[in-house]
Amino acid sequence: MGRTTLVYVCFNALKKGWKEGCRKIIGLDGCFLKGICKGELLCVVGRDANNGIYPIAWAVVCVENKENWRWFLDLLIDDLGLNLGYGYSVISDQHKGLIEAVKELLPYVEHSQCAKHISQKLRKRYSGAQYESIFWKACKATKEVDFKVAMKELELLDPSAHQYLMDKDPKTWSRAYFQPGRCCDAVENGMSESFNVVIVDARKKPIITMLEELRMYMMERVFKKKCKGLG
């Protein structure tokens, strides 16, 4: 499917703020437009020094696929100065097209999976609180030995569940394998989901109206944060 894009937005104040004061991790996500005009909104959200949500850029595309993610990432890399991704981390729900685009444009970035997304899939396959409890124990382990202890517990409980999680590549979802220096131990892409919830009403409107509401929201947000910082 060919690339059909409409608009990309990244305000100078937002990219400058991210470069100067945010953690070296970004969350990538796509969400459907809910109005008459169909399509998807691709968003990138960072984390500030207080671990709070920090929207960076967004784009309207007709469909979420590799070509559109590649177009979006190409512009984002230029704006944020990510180069090939060395020293930075990306977290997402691992959409196939996004995975391929990240591998091509950011070969040295650490690409983590959203643990919540994995947990939801695990719950569908294996019912029972014990499965989720062990998963989160392995997910949040900060040392490899603690991760292995948790996974051994799961293997004794259910070998197939153990294999299912191992096939998900633990290096992409367990803290025990995260790169040092990323200044963030997040295992979920909650920031992107929170941003999508905030703009859900705007996503129901015509594209130009939606973009204008996003612009106003961002301007007011930056102003309020600045006043709070000075106050």
Side-chain angles (χ1 to χ4, degrees), residues 24-28 88-95 98-99 102 109-118 139 168-175 177-179 182 184-189:
K24 295 181 179 181
I25 181 171
I26 56 175
L28 298 171
Y88 295 97
S89 296
V90 167
I91 186 167
S92 73
D93 62 2
Q94 298 278 300
H95 179 275
L98 174 57
I99 292 175
V102 169
V109 82
E110 179 182 61
H111 193 169
S112 304
Q113 297 188 65
C114 175
K116 184 177 179 181
H117 190 71
I118 298 176
C139 182
K168 292 291 183 181
D169 188 4
K171 291 184 178 180
T172 67
W173 54 263
S174 175
R175 285 178 183 170
Y177 298 102
F178 286 174
Q179 297 174 2
R182 73 200 300 258
C184 184
D185 60 359
V187 293
E188 301 178 47
N189 195 18

Side-chain angles (χ1 to χ4, degrees), residues 112-131:
S112 304
Q113 297 188 65
C114 175
K116 184 177 179 181
H117 190 71
I118 298 176
S119 176
Q120 290 171 344
K121 288 188 174 181
L122 179 68
R123 192 183 310 137
K124 291 179 181 178
R125 285 174 172 259
Y126 306 94
S127 60
Q130 198 169 358
Y131 288 97

Side-chain angles (χ1 to χ4, degrees), residues 43 49-50 56 59 101 104 116 125 128-129 147 152 154 175-177 193 204-205 221-222:
C43 304
N50 292 321
I56 303 170
E104 290 181 10
K116 184 177 179 181
R125 285 174 172 259
F147 167 80
K152 185 63 177 179
L154 181 62
R175 285 178 183 170
Y177 298 102
E193 293 179 3
K204 298 176 183 177
K205 299 177 180 179
R221 190 176 190 279
V222 170

Side-chain angles (χ1 to χ4, degrees), residues 131-146:
Y131 288 97
E132 279 200 74
S133 176
I134 296 174
F135 165 71
W136 286 109
K137 189 187 299 183
C139 182
K140 295 183 178 181
T142 56
K143 298 179 181 178
E144 186 176 356
V145 63
D146 294 331

